[in-house]
Amino acid sequence: MSTKSNTVERNANSTAKSSSLKEICARALTKSEWEDKDEFLDVIYWSRQVFGILLGIIWGIVPLKGFLGLVLFAGISCGVVYLYAINFQNVDEDAYGGAWELVKEGFMTSFAGFLVTWIIFYTGLHYDSIMAAKPT
Amino acid sequence: MWSDTFLIVFISICTAFLGEGLTWVLVYRTEKYQRLKSEVDKQSKKLERRKETHGDSLDKSVKKKIERYEEKLKNNNRDLSLVKMKSMFATGFAFTALLSMFNSIFDGRVVAQLPFTPISWIQGLSHRNLSGDDYTDCSFIFLYILCTMSIRQNIQKLLGFAPSRAASKQGGGLFGPTPAQFK
């Protein structure tokens, strides 16, 4: 019975915690303890989506071209997540099933978002020069 | 060029909401789904915790218990996938119809320029229904799929319809082996 009430209590706590977005953002920006693993993974997931879109916009404005753009994105995205989780937040990677689990969290979705913004900005901003450079 | 690409993003946002709405009507709001989902989530978390605490224990009774839990979870996961199947068919039909409509609207039109040359097995998709050999031309379907990949999953997560991490880690439903089996 006591375990049941404990679980209920913990669940109640976690919902109370997850309700305040501001608090989570503040904790994400400073070094803090993460009792709820899902909460930390959510922070990684959403920041990664935003980060992917931002990189897509930058790559499109520059414009970066070719395989280099893809490799740079993958490298930066994984590297930043790894450094953020292990060096900045100091989380125990084994508790999350290894660093790989952290690095791949939301990667494909952010990759798709990155490609979309990269393609849109590249096409929209540089269309005339791309067409001029093409052999007719 | 902006107009085509933004139109495609808008279309994929609309279809993502339509798909989720349809699934909500057919599946998410049903009592059976909610019961199964909460059960699967609870059991996955319990199993994960149990595995963590008794990880390498050689005790046979503990192992048997864990196996029994896994079996139960597998059954529930299967039921959950079957419940979802109904809506998958419905959305599948709706999307095939919509996609063929959009395909005919954008037929043979270059909607964007790719900043990279896709690898050969993606070229079939990125250069679908386009003429010429310039593989940096992007077809409607490629951009639409990319948009859907990012938008639909984010919407699912935002609305809380995505399967929980513990469940997808333990179960995997009908699709593929679970990572736990590789351990």
Side-chain angles (χ1 to χ4, degrees):
Chain A
M1 192 61 201
S2 66
T3 20
K4 199 171 182 184
S5 62
N6 273 344
T7 324
V8 172
E9 226 166 71
R10 209 176 315 145
N11 283 345
N13 279 342
S14 72
T15 43
K17 260 183 216 162
S18 60
S19 61
S20 86
L21 185 70
K22 233 180 184 175
E23 197 196 331
I24 293 177
C25 288
R27 284 172 64 204
L29 292 173
T30 51
K31 188 178 176 305
S32 32
E33 289 284 314
W34 298 90
E35 276 168 38
D36 190 351
K37 277 194 253 172
D38 273 351
E39 209 170 75
F40 183 61
L41 288 174
D42 276 344
V43 166
I44 287 191
Y45 180 91
W46 287 114
S47 42
R48 207 164 199 182
Q49 304 311 310
V50 176
F51 192 66
I53 289 171
L54 284 180
L55 280 189
I57 294 174
I58 296 169
W59 270 213
I61 292 172
V62 170
L64 267 175
K65 277 192 251 180
F67 195 56
L68 175 77
L70 297 170
V71 174
L72 260 183
F73 166 76
I76 291 177
S77 176
C78 294
V80 166
V81 166
Y82 184 81
L83 288 178
Y84 172 73
I86 308 295
N87 283 12
F88 185 69
Q89 294 287 358
N90 263 338
V91 296
D92 176 19
E93 52 185 289
D94 291 331
Y96 292 85
W100 177 243
E101 289 293 326
L102 289 169
V103 166
K104 77 169 195 206
E105 175 66 30
F107 177 78
M108 273 323 279
T109 325
S110 86
F111 185 60
F114 157 76
L115 279 181
V116 169
T117 43
W118 187 22
I119 293 169
I120 289 177
F121 275 78
Y122 174 77
T123 311
L125 293 175
H126 306 284
Y127 186 70
D128 293 333
S129 56
I130 298 165
M131 285 329 226
K134 274 191 184 184
T136 45
Chain B
M1 265 301 159
W2 289 104
S3 58
D4 272 353
T5 44
F6 279 122
L7 181 63
I8 292 171
V9 172
F10 179 69
I11 287 173
S12 64
I13 290 175
C14 289
T15 47
F17 271 111
L18 185 77
E20 287 311 298
L22 213 61
T23 319
W24 183 79
V25 170
L26 291 172
V27 178
Y28 296 146
R29 70 190 180 124
T30 59
E31 200 198 325
K32 193 178 176 191
Y33 171 81
Q34 284 169 358
R35 186 171 46 81
L36 277 172
K37 190 170 189 276
S38 68
E39 217 155 279
V40 165
D41 284 351
K42 227 169 27 196
Q43 282 173 347
S44 316
K45 274 196 180 149
K46 223 178 195 173
L47 188 65
E48 208 178 61
R49 227 175 300 142
R50 231 164 238 261
K51 271 186 181 169
E52 264 170 30
T53 44
H54 305 287
D56 300 318
S57 142
L58 292 171
D59 193 352
K60 261 194 179 161
S61 66
V62 173
K63 259 189 175 172
K64 226 171 207 172
K65 226 175 192 174
I66 288 182
E67 264 170 27
R68 216 169 34 227
Y69 259 114
E70 272 179 339
E71 195 62 35
K72 218 164 142 190
L73 185 63
K74 221 187 264 173
N75 285 340
N76 275 336
N77 252 329
R78 203 192 46 220
D79 289 347
L80 197 63
S81 306
L82 283 177
V83 171
K84 277 186 186 168
M85 197 78 93
K86 196 169 66 177
S87 93
M88 262 162 71
F89 278 119
T91 45
F93 276 121
F95 279 108
T96 321
L98 275 176
L99 207 61
S100 61
M101 187 184 86
F102 291 130
N103 251 335
S104 62
I105 292 174
F106 287 97
D107 193 33
R109 200 146 108 198
V110 178
V111 295
Q113 296 295 320
L114 296 176
F116 54 91
T117 314
I119 44 174
S120 56
W121 55 274
I122 293 183
Q123 279 172 6
L125 210 62
S126 71
H127 207 68
R128 177 152 298 193
N129 286 343
L130 299 183
S131 56
D133 286 335
D134 184 1
Y135 289 109
T136 55
D137 286 348
C138 177
S139 67
F140 158 76
I141 196 82
F142 185 64
L143 196 59
Y144 175 76
I145 287 174
L146 281 179
C147 284
T148 306
M149 259 171 80
S150 82
I151 290 168
R152 187 147 193 212
Q153 194 160 358
N154 283 336
I155 285 177
Q156 268 185 349
K157 220 170 164 68
L158 214 57
L159 298 176
F161 294 149
S164 78
R165 286 195 183 85
S168 47
K169 203 172 162 190
Q170 299 290 341
L174 289 175
F175 310 104
T178 61
Q181 283 169 339
F182 291 119
K183 278 182 186 168

